[in-house]
Structures are given as C-alpha cells and as structure tokens.
Amino acid sequence: MVAFALPAVSGEAQATRTAFGHTADGQTVDLVTLANSHGVRASVMSYGASLQSLLVPDRNGKLADIVLGYDTLQGYLDRRQYVGATVGRYANRIAHGRFALDGKTFQLTLDDGPNSLHGGVKGLDMQVWKVVDVKTMGSAASVTLQYISPDGDQGYPGKVTMTATYKLSEDNQLTITYTATTDKPTIVNLSNHTCWNLGGEGSGTVMDEQLMIPGGAITPVDAASIPNGDIVSVAGTPYDFRVAKPIGRDIRDGSSQQLLFGHGYDMNWVISRKPVAEPRVVARVEDPRSGRVLTLWSAQPGLQFYSGNFLDGTTVGKAHHIYRQGDAFVLEPQRFPDTPNHPDFGSARLAPGETYRNTIIYRFGIDGGRAPASRE
C-alpha cells in the first residue's frame, strides 16, 4: 500500500496511512499516524486496533516514544503481550470462562489457566481490524477501525460490531472511543492495554513515577486473579493512591497477599459502583525525570492498574530495548473483572438496539503546565 497524507496546512493536524506488514495468512496490517503541530504523534496499528507508538515532548521539548511495543509487525505476531492493544470482547478475566445470561450458560475459550482473559484464545488483540475512516478536521486528526465478531466467537453469543476511534487534538489529548452493537444479548467490556513509560520506552523502571488513583476501594482477587466478590477499602493499605505516591513505594510490602498473588500491582480499583454520564479523572501519573504528566479520564466504574510485573527481561522491543519487570504500567478503564458472575458488581449486558460505549481520554502535559512544542 502506498503511503498517503491527508491534506493539511502548517499548524493543522495531519494523518498518514502506510502498510505495516502482513499476517501469516496474508492480511495487510495498516499503520495510521496522527500528528499535531506540537510534534505529538500517535501511530495506530490495525492489528489489534493497537496504539503502536506515541511521541510526546518532555519539559525541554524533547520527544520520546512513551509506549512499549515493537518496531515491526512480526514482534506483535511472535508474542502475545497485549502491548497497546484493544482487549475484549471482555477485558480482564472471566472465572472458568463461564457465565450465565438470560438463563443460558456460555463457555468461553480458556487462555489463562482455568480462566478466560481479554476475550479468550483469539481475542480482539489478535484480529486485523478494518480501517474505515481516516480524517483531519482542523485541529484534530482521527482514525476509526471496525471489527465484526461473529456469533459464537470464542464462545460469546451474538454478532457484535465494534469500532475503535483514535483522535489526537491540538491540545495534546488522545481520545479512544470504543463502541459496540449486537444482534442478540451478550456481554461487552472493551478497554486498551497500552504499556506506558513516561520517561520513554526502554528508559528503565517506572517505579519512581508518581501515581494518583482516586478510587477508595479495590475488588480483591484469589491466586488465579479472580475477584472474590468483596469490595475493600484501600485505607491503610499499599493500594491507597488517593494521594499521589511513587508506584514502587509500597510494592514490596510482603504483608499484602494481593501483591504476592500479582507479583506487584494487578487489580481493579473501584472508581464508582456504576458507569457515570461523563468522563472524570480516574488516574494521574507524573514522571519526575522528564516532567511528563498523563491524566486519564473515563466514565467507567473500574480501573485495572498493572505494574508490569511479568516483563521478565526476555522481551526485546523497539530499538532493541530489553523490557524488564517494572518498566511499564498499564491503566485500563473498564467494568469490574468477572462482573457477569458477580451481580453486586453491576452488569456488562448488551442487548440489541443498545450501544456500548467506552471513551478513554489521555491528556498529556508537563509538571506545571501543558507540554511544550517539540524541539525536534
């Protein structure tokens, strides 16, 4: 495929589309790069509707790619790690891969020991999505991708049509909007699994980055990372991020069974008991080295925070960087894990005629203000 750039003038948003490679069965994977006048560039890959790279300036205007990943498609094909990917049909875990809906029990494919994780053996992260729209509108550039999941896909009922729209604006805001519709009752929970390092991918640990999560409770899990149904206050525990603190400050607290189960942080924070009407702040991260700040907005009730615990030094990513434990964090706004098996957690049900929506907003700045324009 020949690269093309949509018409844009200096100071306006731009969008460029190129071929990124081919899957083993010959499907073309596209890469769409969105750019604004400040030098911020977001590259979105049609394999997994994934955020493949994101260049953001630091306090001195120097650009760095702040998401983990690979320079070529083959890296994503060789090893399933969800980096940057859209995850679902149900993000997070379903216990034993089973749930009941309208009096019928459904069995999903199992890919996480006895459980189903991020959609099963071949979730949305492993599908080639169709690029259906690439456009610029003055100060914003966007790409919309679509995937149609057939009835029975990985055991889920209903033919579900999903879209993922990435939009980059002039104020250094990247928005991902997920939608889904179905032809029969089903469950849907879509999110994004970008692995962030605000100092730049490959720059080392994120343990010194300052994290704030406003949630006052978590949903504790068992040794298989399945919620036990409780909702427990974070007060007086290592999970209390209501006041910003370094990610690594309490991560070695051996008195915490949850940290032992997850080899670090890997659990759901309760932001609210149900989705709200408008996105609000669900997390803020600041990197003291670079000055970069990420503020995350969502209307979802839960936020899964994962501290890169299973990056084990065997992953060679972009620019031949080795990714090690604690070299990234993941923040996934979503429904609570295993919600279909815990009525007290709410509902993930989607019926015909309804539209599921999850809007995730990433706002980038620097300590003390908005990020400067790039000097590169």
Side-chain angles (χ1 to χ4, degrees), residues 199-279:
E201 63 80 28
S203 67
T205 182
V206 299
M207 292 297 107
D208 292 333
E209 296 188 12
Q210 301 271 338
L211 170 65
M212 187 282 294
I213 300 175
I218 60 169
T219 52
V221 297
D222 61 20
S225 298
I226 296 297
N228 60 22
D230 294 336
I231 293 178
V232 176
S233 171
V234 300
T237 75
Y239 321 114
D240 192 348
F241 284 90
R242 289 174 294 179
V243 176
K245 66 179 180 181
I247 291 172
R249 192 182 79 178
D250 299 320
I251 203 169
R252 290 178 173 81
D253 186 345
S255 66
S256 167
Q257 187 63 59
Q258 296 295 296
L259 289 175
L260 290 170
F261 283 155
H263 297 203
Y265 293 106
D266 189 10
M267 62 201 68
N268 171 65
W269 266 254
V270 178
I271 308 299
S272 59
R273 294 301 297 269
K274 60 182 180 180
V276 296
E278 297 294 334

Side-chain angles (χ1 to χ4, degrees), residues 25-50:
D25 60 359
Q27 296 183 78
T28 298
V29 173
D30 291 335
L31 191 72
V32 177
T33 298
L34 313 175
N36 69 16
S37 67
H38 300 295
V40 176
R41 298 197 298 273
S43 293
V44 179
M45 177 176 61
S46 62
Y47 183 75
S50 305

Side-chain angles (χ1 to χ4, degrees), residues 29-213:
V29 173
D30 291 335
L31 191 72
V32 177
T33 298
L34 313 175
N36 69 16
S37 67
H38 300 295
V40 176
R41 298 197 298 273
S43 293
V44 179
M45 177 176 61
S46 62
Y47 183 75
S50 305
L51 182 60
Q52 188 269 336
S53 71
L54 181 64
L55 276 70
V56 176
D58 65 8
R59 65 166 64 93
N60 298 313
K62 184 177 180 181
L63 288 172
D65 186 352
I66 60 172
V67 302
L68 275 61
Y70 299 94
D71 290 320
T72 65
L73 175 61
Q74 196 60 46
Y76 297 91
L77 299 178
D78 287 345
R79 192 168 185 179
R80 188 186 190 190
Q81 295 176 296
Y82 309 106
V83 288
T86 294
V87 287
R89 288 188 193 187
Y90 197 94
N92 220 310
R93 292 172 174 85
I94 299 288
H96 308 295
R98 289 196 298 271
F99 67 94
L101 187 67
D102 297 343
K104 183 178 180 180
T105 297
F106 295 90
Q107 178 64 57
L108 309 175
T109 59
L110 305 179
D111 60 328
D112 185 51
N115 305 312
S116 185
L117 172 64
H118 291 329
V121 171
K122 192 172 183 181
L124 302 180
D125 59 296
M126 301 176 71
Q127 306 291 349
V128 177
W129 294 51
K130 181 181 179 180
V131 177
V132 295
D133 189 38
V134 181
K135 64 184 178 184
T136 60
M137 295 182 65
S139 61
S142 68
V143 55
T144 298
L145 307 99
Q146 181 190 74
Y147 181 71
I148 300 175
S149 177
D151 184 19
D153 188 7
Q154 305 303 303
Y156 288 92
K159 175 184 175 182
V160 176
T161 300
M162 290 162 281
T163 65
T165 298
Y166 287 78
K167 182 175 73 172
L168 178 65
S169 62
E170 189 63 17
D171 58 356
N172 296 344
Q173 176 175 296
L174 179 68
T175 301
I176 307 175
T177 301
Y178 292 115
T179 70
T181 57
T182 183
D183 66 352
K184 65 174 63 172
T186 189
I187 60 171
V188 173
N189 182 35
L190 307 180
S191 195
N192 182 274
H193 197 278
T194 292
C195 298
W196 303 94
N197 185 322
L198 297 185
E201 63 80 28
S203 67
T205 182
V206 299
M207 292 297 107
D208 292 333
E209 296 188 12
Q210 301 271 338
L211 170 65
M212 187 282 294
I213 300 175

